[in-house]
Amino acid sequence: MGIVRLSSLLLLLFLQFCESAPPRKGDPFSIRISCGARQNTQTPSGTFWYKDFAYTGGRLANATRSSYIVPPLKTLRYFPPSDGPENCYNVRNIPNGHYQVRVFFALVDDHNFEKEPMFDVSVEGTQIYTLKSGWSSSDDKSFAESLVFISDNSVSSCFHSTGRGDPSILSIEILQVDDNAYNFGPLWGKGTILRTAKRLTCGSGRSAFDEDYDGDNWGGDRIWTSIKTFGQSSDQAISTENNITHVSISPNFYPMKLYQTAIVGTDSQPDLSFNIDVDPNKNYSIWLHFAEVDPRITAEGKRVFDVLINGDIAFQNVDVIHMTRAPNAALVLNKTIALTGRTLTITIHPMNGSHAIINAIEIFEIIAMESKTAAEEVRVLQTLKNSLGLPLRFGWNGDPCVPQQHPWSGADCQFIDGSWVIDGLGLDNQGLRGVLPNEISRLRHLQTINLSGNSIHGSIPSSLGLIAGLQILDLSYNLLNGSIPESLGQLSSLHILNLNGNSLSGKVPSALGGRPLHGASFNFTGNAGLCGVPGLPACGPQLSIRDKVGIGFGGLIAILLMLVCLTCWWKRRQNILRAQKIASGREAPYAKARTQFVRDVQMTRPYRVHDKSPTCESAPPLLS
């Protein structure tokens, strides 16, 4: 009893301190998305919803409203199997902090659709919820809600197909809450997610949001499902109009109206007992709310009770007035337990005085956050997705390795040094038509690559030689051309290499040629241009790349010199012809006149015997 009184005093001092603390400045960050909407909209309650733009894929459709608490929105977004098994809303530019992320589901307003799709929901790579049959007709099953810390300025919420209808999403809300909200003890922190399993307002006849209860915005606009009885014919609901103290204080900011109604026991059945079905082998955080609103109970000791969880005492000798020092004052008790069974039972058993009382109940499943895939590897896979033209049916949205229940098809994961990495790619016979990007080498943990049986064209990236641990490389039966990179010879762990059935050419690197002698299995057949290993044609004289470059450069110089010589000869020939043409046009009349003058002079000159000019011998006379 002394321990309870000491803890009560400490709790009272804490509550008084919180109540006297100055109000928090500013409004919390919030964004609400009306899925499938093409325009921003405002619901009758005044809540603003952003249009659905550039967050995800999927298809638009009209929505049906399934329950009272579902926002009155008219559209949704659904994801058929042809869009892939994983589809995500990625919302960026979110200030880092603590957030309540809530997703509402709805039915497609079309009789051709299966009425109740069932699928899995994850937040930040951690699966938090699996829709169960009957969700569309139950208030507290038509949404998934979780508390999560954001540290990368973005929120990712994914919907994973399980083969039972198309996931259909009505709305997404991202609402900032106090950084210390729902601190349940040592396990609480940035490595955990709290999923809302149940939130009840006892004694009330109507479900409501925090905003309906005039709650503080930092409370996260919680949904309180009403319950007037625990199913026991002897319990009863009571209420009060009196103000309740110790409410709307940091870090949880509970609204006053939550404590103005309650369920109490009766003489015939003084105990109160509440049951909920849960998943086994999980940890749960339970928050119980009390306020002495019964006008018959005005002093300490008039109502003292124990709280039992699955039969074990969680809180002993609880006296609300004693612990709060006044009637009409709020008291919150929290307990974290590990459950092995499928049922959680909360029992309030009166010890002294009147019957048991309870005002509200919150039950959260504690989920350890999954470690995400290394960011660099995710970026490379997205590059590979675009470069290879991966079919839409593959999806490849969200995180490749988590949640572990829904990894990406064709990507094998391994957990190393606190994060997931990709150690295998199996995309054979998938109709890929793109090229292999150089960035594939940045998946440095790859051990196997199988891209056979596609229509991948272009050359084999030399960067593949940088993946030191690569053991299997199968690129057979594609449209690859060019030569085999010398860098592949550096892969000392490579023991299976299939490059057959392509259009490769040139000499097989010598470092690969002898490897099959040591137990490796290499296949180069079906490439008409390859040579140099047993089973392929012999290669002619082979020159190194350096020699080939030298010969090519020398040939280019010779061609240039020949062109220069031909140009000079042609220009010289043109000059000669031009000179002859000029000479024949100017000097011909002068030369003719001079020749005629010389002839005339010779005709007038007298004949001389002693002329030394050559003459003909005298002919014999014809007559004697």
Side-chain angles (χ1 to χ4, degrees):
M1 190 70 178
I3 295 176
V4 173
R5 290 184 180 277
L6 178 60
S7 61
S8 302
L9 180 60
L10 292 174
L11 178 62
L12 179 62
L13 291 174
F14 173 75
L15 292 174
Q16 289 175 342
F17 170 78
C18 293
E19 193 170 23
S20 61
R24 187 162 189 166
K25 295 181 179 180
D27 291 326
F29 177 88
S30 65
I31 180 171
R32 292 176 168 90
I33 300 170
S34 175
C35 300
R38 297 182 180 274
Q39 301 293 333
N40 296 335
T41 185
Q42 194 165 10
T43 52
S45 64
T47 305
F48 182 83
W49 298 85
Y50 286 95
K51 62 183 178 181
D52 188 0
F53 176 73
Y55 297 113
T56 185
R59 319 292 172 84
L60 310 183
N62 291 327
T64 62
R65 191 177 183 188
S66 56
S67 68
Y68 167 77
I69 63 172
V70 172
L73 302 172
K74 298 180 179 179
T75 61
L76 56 72
R77 188 178 289 270
Y78 72 96
F79 303 96
S82 58
D83 285 5
E86 286 83 40
N87 288 275
C88 304
Y89 268 80
N90 298 300
V91 185
R92 297 179 173 83
N93 300 320
I94 304 295
N96 291 337
H98 197 195
Y99 285 87
Q100 177 178 269
V101 179
R102 183 164 57 219
V103 182
F104 271 102
F105 320 115
L107 302 177
V108 176
D109 191 9
D110 189 330
H111 67 276
N112 293 319
F113 279 77
E114 186 174 346
K115 283 304 179 184
E116 263 196 351
M118 285 174 277
F119 50 93
D120 294 339
V121 181
S122 68
V123 173
E124 290 296 287
T126 300
Q127 182 165 316
I128 64 165
Y129 191 62
T130 297
L131 270 75
K132 298 176 176 63
S133 179
W135 63 262
S136 61
S137 57
S138 174
D139 279 358
D140 56 357
K141 292 182 181 179
S142 60
F143 68 95
E145 181 183 271
S146 61
L147 290 164
V148 59
F149 282 93
I150 301 302
S151 58
D152 58 359
N153 298 115
S154 66
V155 173
S156 173
S157 184
C158 299
F159 316 103
H160 310 274
S161 238
T162 58
R164 296 174 293 177
D166 305 340
S168 50
I169 313 302
L170 181 77
S171 64
I172 294 180
E173 297 171 272
I174 303 171
L175 310 173
Q176 189 176 13
V177 297
D178 192 284
D179 284 346
N180 203 43
Y182 291 101
N183 186 339
F184 57 85
L187 296 178
W188 177 88
K190 297 184 179 180
T192 58
I193 292 179
L194 284 180
R195 179 189 71 83
T196 305
K198 182 70 71 174
R199 184 179 279 125
L200 298 175
T201 173
C202 301
S204 173
R206 180 177 177 271
S207 299
F209 291 80
D210 264 3
E211 65 178 15
D212 298 334
Y213 282 165
D214 299 322
D216 191 290
N217 289 337
W218 284 97
D221 196 14
R222 290 157 292 205
I223 300 170
W224 298 94
T225 305
S226 65
I227 182 170
K228 296 199 73 172
T229 176
F230 290 149
Q232 302 158 189
S233 58
S234 57
D235 61 18
Q236 62 180 353
I238 62 172
S239 63
T240 183
E241 295 295 328
N242 295 330
N243 288 334
I244 309 297
T245 59
H246 302 162
V247 298
S248 195
I249 55 178
S250 178
N252 295 331
F253 300 97
Y254 292 112
M256 181 185 298
K257 284 186 179 180
L258 184 68
Y259 298 94
Q260 290 179 323
T261 61
I263 293 177
V264 296
T266 61
D267 292 336
S268 60
Q269 183 61 48
D271 284 2
L272 294 176
S273 184
F274 172 74
N275 301 314
I276 178 177
D277 293 333
V278 295
D279 294 329
N281 303 314
K282 303 282 188 180
N283 293 327
Y284 287 85
S285 180
I286 302 169
W287 298 71
L288 304 175
H289 301 266
F290 302 96
E292 190 53 80
V293 294
D294 191 336
R296 298 169 297 178
I297 308 300
T298 58
E300 297 182 18
K302 296 294 185 180
R303 193 194 309 269
V304 180
F305 53 86
D306 291 345
V307 178
L308 294 81
I309 299 178
N310 280 7
D312 298 325
I313 295 178
F315 303 98
Q316 190 172 18
N317 296 324
V318 177
D319 186 336
V320 177
I321 292 182
H322 168 73
M323 298 174 73
T324 59
R325 298 298 182 185
N328 297 317
L331 171 67
V332 183
L333 300 179
N334 169 239
K335 183 72 174 181
T336 299
I337 62 170
L339 294 181
T340 56
R342 294 183 174 274
T343 303
L344 171 63
T345 301
I346 300 172
T347 302
I348 304 172
H349 175 65
M351 300 298 294
N352 296 320
S354 188
H355 321 105
I357 187 172
I358 183 74
N359 297 75
I361 299 174
E362 293 177 286
I363 302 172
F364 299 95
E365 179 186 350
I366 302 171
I367 304 174
M369 288 191 70
E370 296 261 22
S371 297
K372 293 185 178 182
T373 306
E376 174 68 8
E377 307 238 331
V378 178
R379 284 192 291 267
V380 174
L381 285 182
Q382 290 292 351
T383 300
L384 196 67
K385 172 184 176 180
N386 297 329
S387 184
L388 292 178
L390 208 66
L392 189 62
R393 57 184 167 79
F394 268 77
W396 277 31
N397 299 306
D399 191 289
C401 302
V402 294
Q404 295 181 56
Q405 302 92 327
H406 299 282
W408 285 3
S409 176
D412 299 328
C413 300
Q414 185 178 8
F415 193 73
I416 298 177
D417 298 332
S419 64
W420 291 95
V421 297
I422 308 302
D423 69 348
L425 288 174
L427 297 171
D428 52 304
N429 300 299
Q430 297 300 330
L432 309 182
R433 298 180 178 276
V435 298
L436 267 177
N438 285 319
E439 289 83 353
I440 192 173
S441 64
R442 291 189 290 187
L443 297 174
R444 56 190 181 88
H445 297 92
L446 279 176
Q447 298 179 22
T448 63
I449 299 176
N450 185 358
L451 301 175
S452 61
N454 291 294
S455 298
I456 302 172
H457 56 273
S459 60
I460 299 174
S462 61
S463 62
L464 284 174
L466 301 176
I467 309 175
L470 193 61
Q471 301 175 16
I472 299 174
L473 176 59
D474 192 344
L475 302 177
S476 59
Y477 300 107
N478 278 286
L479 304 175
L480 297 169
N481 53 35
S483 60
I484 299 176
E486 294 280 345
S487 62
L488 295 188
Q490 303 171 8
L491 299 175
S492 58
S493 300
L494 192 65
H495 61 268
I496 294 179
L497 175 62
N498 294 331
L499 299 178
N500 50 300
N502 283 284
S503 300
L504 300 172
S505 59
K507 184 179 180 180
V508 175
S510 57
L512 296 174
R515 198 79 65 80
L517 300 176
H518 301 282
S521 173
F522 290 178
N523 193 341
F524 304 106
T525 61
N527 293 280
L530 284 181
C531 61
V533 296
L536 298 179
C539 297
Q542 295 294 319
L543 298 174
S544 66
I545 295 177
R546 192 174 187 179
D547 293 338
K548 291 179 181 179
V549 171
I551 292 173
F553 185 73
L556 180 62
I557 295 297
I559 292 173
L560 290 175
L561 288 174
M562 186 180 295
L563 290 174
V564 170
C565 292
L566 287 174
T567 302
C568 293
W569 175 85
W570 182 80
K571 287 187 176 181
R572 181 179 177 84
R573 178 66 179 166
Q574 292 297 316
N575 290 337
I576 292 173
L577 292 176
R578 190 181 298 111
Q580 289 178 349
K581 184 175 181 180
I582 292 173
S584 63
R586 292 181 179 179
E587 297 178 3
Y590 169 77
K592 183 177 179 180
R594 188 171 181 273
T595 302
Q596 184 64 38
F597 173 74
V598 172
R599 185 177 298 161
D600 292 342
V601 171
Q602 290 180 349
M603 292 293 293
T604 57
R605 185 180 294 174
Y607 176 76
R608 297 178 182 180
V609 176
H610 62 274
D611 193 349
K612 297 181 180 180
S613 301
T615 60
C616 297
E617 295 182 359
S618 299
L622 297 176
L623 296 176
S624 53

